Every structure is written in structure tokens, then in C-alpha cells.
Amino acid sequence: MSVQERKQRERADRERLIVATARELAEQQGWDAVTTRRLAERIEYSQPVLYSHFRGKREIIGAVALEGAADLAAAVRAAVAPADGPRARVGALAGAYLDFAERNPAVYDAMFQLEGGLAFAQEDTPEQLKDAFAALLETLGEVAGDGIHPGVFTEVFWASLHGLATLTRAGRLPREYTEQRLDLLVDRLSSI
Amino acid sequence: MSVQERKQRERADRERLIVATARELAEQQGWDAVTTRRLAERIEYSQPVLYSHFRGKREIIGAVALEGAADLAAAVRAAVAPADGPRARVGALAGAYLDFAERNPAVYDAMFQLEGGLAFAQEDTPEQLKDAFAALLETLGEVAGDGIHPGVFTEVFWASLHGLATLTRAGRLPREYTEQRLDLLVDRLSSI
DNA sequence: TCGATTGTCTAGCAGTGCTAGGGTCGACTC
DNA sequence: GAGTCGACCCTAGCACTGCTAGACAATCGA
């Protein structure tokens, strides 16, 4: 029995290695550079090994996305915790979100730009994604305002942050007024 | 001389054909299906012909994006024109924007998601892109509010719309409350 | 009519995601 | 401890991608 257990453990370790390596490589050189060959070489196994863990590249991206969602949730909660008052919390949340997107562009892409084969806003949505949304809802629900569904408000706020994050990173928005834009968004959207 | 002119005209025609075909194919089957071989086959020329018009696939995507930007600007202006009052105009603009993204997903991707090798928010930004932003600015500048730079306000509003458009289309936001989200965004962001 | 130039096509390169098949090595059975 | 068996991994290869070199033909100017 213990032999099987060891094997399972080793398999799990290797799976984590694959995901971590994919993430690292993507952050270093972009997702285009994450080819199955390069990834296999980095983990020092042959290509087909990847396919014994994941159905294909998409699933690997999906695994990185799930990891990222957990990280994002943690980052947001950590930033919000020390802030006093709803307004400060929302500001901290927004800042932490954009900061995460900026510092982890590849992971952010895996979550929201690339096709990772993940289900969103459905019953079979992975726990990490639900929890990331919950992390936003916890703080943003406070400032939704009367008669506004907290979930819908959170979706709108999230979408706005997402728009700022992606357009800024893609060079569609000049980096100059990042802070003004963020302040404007927080001030206007929140029901004080 | 007129022979040269005819040739130039034919070349320009073919270039338009390439862009139109790429756009059509992308809307029909997604950008993944737009391979140089398939595109060449559809225009009934061999692959290398594409490279005598464009440096590569990226530039073709860029050309589609420019066309799309002109269309988007026109759509927004057409929707805004008949509306009375700033609030109605902003609502019409937002609706038209999301509608465009929904109806022309491939073109929208070419503009804002894919790498088309275009310069944004810079001096050498193509006229069509500047004009598309101007179309937004014309209406949104009205509701920026005192002490808020109209350009920055437009950027924020645009980013929010962009976020809603992309997250909705990628299945990240359920389609149910699309309208509520839009109303909320317009009501809160605009300075009445 | 003949050379030159322009234009287009065939063929091929290096790289992609993914998979079939053969071998090897380790784990159980007697 | 020896033999069998099965899990595991790797080599090799498929069909495809974007892109390009070089051969060839059609057209132009003299």
C-alpha cells in the first residue's frame, strides 16, 4: 500500500511542478513561450508526461488560473483587512487588484484572457474562482447602496477594474493617470 | 501611366479583399481559424501574396482592427445622435458599445485583445483609433463633472464598458443581469 | 522581337499541440 | 530469489502553424 501512496505523492508533486513551471515560464517570457516541448524540458520529462496529468495545454493554463485565483483572493483580503471604513476598504481592494494584475500579468491572463476551459458563474465553477469573487463581494457589498443587488454591484466594479487592468497593460491606456482613474472609479461607483 | 494606375487599383482592391475576408472568416469561425493558408485559399491566391501586402498575420489583424474602429465610432455616433439630454446620450452610447462588441466579437478582439501591432494613445496612433476615442469623448465629456478631466473620465468609462464586454463574452459574467449592470454603471459614473 | 522586371506559385523550413507504439524498469507472486 | 506482469515513460511521427527562398511565367518598355 505504501508504495502506491508514495507513487501517488510523487505524481502529485510532479503535477505541482508542471503548474509552477508553466506559471514561472509564462511570467518570464509570456504564454507564447510556454510550449509543451519547452515545458517538458524544464521539468526534465518528455512531452507525453504532460498529457498524463492534463488533457492538453488548455488545462495547464486552467490550473495556473486556479492557483492565481487563490492568490488574488488572498492579496485582496490582505489589503482590505487593515483598512478602516468602507471607503478605505474599497480603495485598498481596487489598488490591490490592479497591483496583482500588474505584477502577475501571465497569471492574470490565464484567469481572464486565455481559454483555460474553466466554468465561470455556474454550479460547477471551481471553488477558487467562487472564493475570489467572494473576496471582492465581502468588501464591495458594503458600498452597493440601497436597492442594488450586492452581487450585481460587485460584477460591475470587478468589470471596471478588469477593463482598467487589461487596457493599461495592453498599452491602450497611458500609464500616466492610473491613479486618477482609480480614484475616480472608486469615488463614483461606491455609494459612499 | 494608366496601366500602372490600374495595377495600383487592383492591388488596393485585393488588399481590401484580404482584410474583408479575414474579418469574415474570423467572425464566422474565430481568429484561430484564420490561418494564412485558409485565408489565401479564400481569396484564391497563394499564401505568399498575403506577405506582399502585409508583413505578417499581425498586420492583417491590425487592418481589421482599424476597420472595426471606424465602424465602432460610426455606430456610437449614430446611436447618440437622436438621444435627448446627456443622460440619454450616455445610455445610448453604452448600449451601442456593448452591442457592437456582442455583434462583432472577432473585430472587437482584433481591436482590444489581440496583438495587432497598433500604437494606442500615442502620437503615431492611427486616425481611426483616435477618432473612435473622440466619438466616446464627445458624449462622455459632457458628464465628466466639475474638476474631472474629460479625457480621463472617458478612459474610465471606456475601461468599464470594455470590462463588461469582455467578461460577458468570455462567459465570466452571466448574461442575466446585463441590463442592470449597464444601468448601474451609467447612473453611477456619470455626473448626472 | 527581345531583354528586363514584376508578379505569383511551388516547395520547404522550423516550430506548434498532440498521440501511437515500443521498451524498460520496478513491483508483486510463487 | 526468480519470473511474470503491468505501469510508466520515451522516441518518433502526424497534421498543422507562420513565414520565406527560389523557380517560373507573364507583362512591360525598348
Side-chain angles (χ1 to χ4, degrees):
Chain A
M1 220 14 136
S2 91
V3 170
Q4 276 198 4
E5 281 175 10
R6 195 206 69 222
K7 286 206 173 184
Q8 278 191 351
R9 208 171 49 236
E10 284 173 356
R11 248 190 87 79
D13 283 347
R14 196 172 59 182
E15 190 157 316
R16 271 191 293 274
L17 177 63
I18 292 172
V19 176
T21 307
R23 177 175 180 166
E24 191 183 303
L25 189 52
E27 290 295 2
Q28 282 173 357
Q29 307 181 36
W31 277 107
D32 277 353
V34 184
T35 69
T36 54
R37 276 171 242 275
R38 244 190 294 257
L39 186 50
E41 195 187 6
R42 284 229 183 174
I43 64 167
E44 297 181 316
Y45 280 94
S46 71
Q47 261 183 305
V49 165
L50 300 175
Y51 293 86
S52 75
H53 288 272
F54 302 95
R55 285 196 198 173
K57 196 182 167 182
R58 268 174 49 163
E59 262 195 13
I60 297 177
I61 295 173
V64 172
L66 289 186
E67 245 195 50
D71 292 353
L72 175 59
V76 164
R77 287 198 174 102
V80 164
D84 282 334
R87 173 62 178 78
R89 273 195 287 275
V90 173
L93 177 143
Y97 187 98
L98 291 188
D99 198 54
F100 182 89
E102 188 76 20
R103 287 182 199 272
N104 309 275
V107 173
Y108 193 84
D109 281 348
M111 284 193 270
F112 302 126
Q113 306 263 55
L114 302 174
E115 197 47 71
L118 301 177
F120 276 77
Q122 290 173 20
E123 286 193 7
D124 56 340
T125 297
E127 220 38 65
Q128 292 97 317
L129 297 179
K130 287 185 187 172
D131 187 56
F133 188 80
L136 299 180
L137 185 60
E138 288 160 17
T139 295
L140 295 174
E142 288 187 294
V143 296
D146 293 341
I148 300 296
H149 191 290
V152 171
F153 177 79
T154 300
E155 287 172 352
V156 170
F157 203 104
W158 170 37
S160 301
L161 288 175
H162 176 66
L164 283 179
T166 52
L167 290 179
T168 300
R169 205 154 59 61
R172 261 70 167 172
L173 290 178
R175 272 196 162 68
E176 282 183 72
Y177 304 104
T178 303
E179 213 157 317
Q180 281 96 315
R181 285 192 285 262
L182 192 56
D183 286 341
L184 180 59
L185 185 71
V186 171
D187 286 338
R188 290 277 172 91
L189 274 191
S190 335
S191 169
I192 311 171
Chain B
M1 220 12 136
S2 92
V3 171
Q4 276 198 6
E5 282 175 9
R6 195 204 69 222
K7 286 205 171 185
Q8 278 191 350
R9 209 170 47 236
E10 284 174 356
R11 247 190 89 79
D13 283 348
R14 194 172 60 180
E15 190 157 315
R16 272 190 293 274
L17 177 63
I18 292 172
V19 176
T21 306
R23 177 175 180 166
E24 190 184 304
L25 188 52
E27 290 295 2
Q28 282 173 357
Q29 306 180 35
W31 277 107
D32 277 353
V34 184
T35 69
T36 54
R37 275 171 242 275
R38 244 189 294 257
L39 187 51
E41 195 188 6
R42 284 229 182 174
I43 64 166
E44 297 181 314
Y45 280 93
S46 72
Q47 261 183 306
V49 165
L50 300 175
Y51 293 87
S52 75
H53 288 272
F54 303 95
R55 285 197 196 172
K57 196 182 167 182
R58 268 174 49 163
E59 264 195 11
I60 298 178
I61 295 173
V64 172
L66 289 187
E67 244 194 50
D71 292 353
L72 175 59
V76 164
R77 287 198 174 104
V80 164
D84 281 335
R87 172 64 179 78
R89 274 193 287 277
V90 173
L93 177 144
Y97 187 98
L98 291 188
D99 199 55
F100 182 89
E102 188 76 21
R103 287 182 199 274
N104 308 277
V107 173
Y108 194 83
D109 281 347
M111 285 193 270
F112 301 127
Q113 305 264 55
L114 302 174
E115 196 47 71
L118 300 177
F120 277 78
Q122 290 172 21
E123 286 192 7
D124 57 340
T125 296
E127 221 39 63
Q128 291 97 319
L129 296 179
K130 287 185 186 172
D131 186 57
F133 188 80
L136 299 180
L137 185 60
E138 288 159 18
T139 295
L140 294 174
E142 288 186 296
V143 296
D146 293 340
I148 300 296
H149 190 289
V152 171
F153 177 79
T154 300
E155 287 172 352
V156 170
F157 203 104
W158 170 37
S160 301
L161 288 175
H162 176 67
L164 283 179
T166 52
L167 290 179
T168 300
R169 206 154 59 63
R172 259 69 167 175
L173 289 178
R175 273 197 159 71
E176 281 183 71
Y177 303 104
T178 303
E179 213 157 318
Q180 281 97 316
R181 285 193 285 263
L182 193 56
D183 286 341
L184 180 59
L185 184 72
V186 172
D187 286 336
R188 289 277 172 92
L189 275 192
S190 331
S191 171
I192 311 171

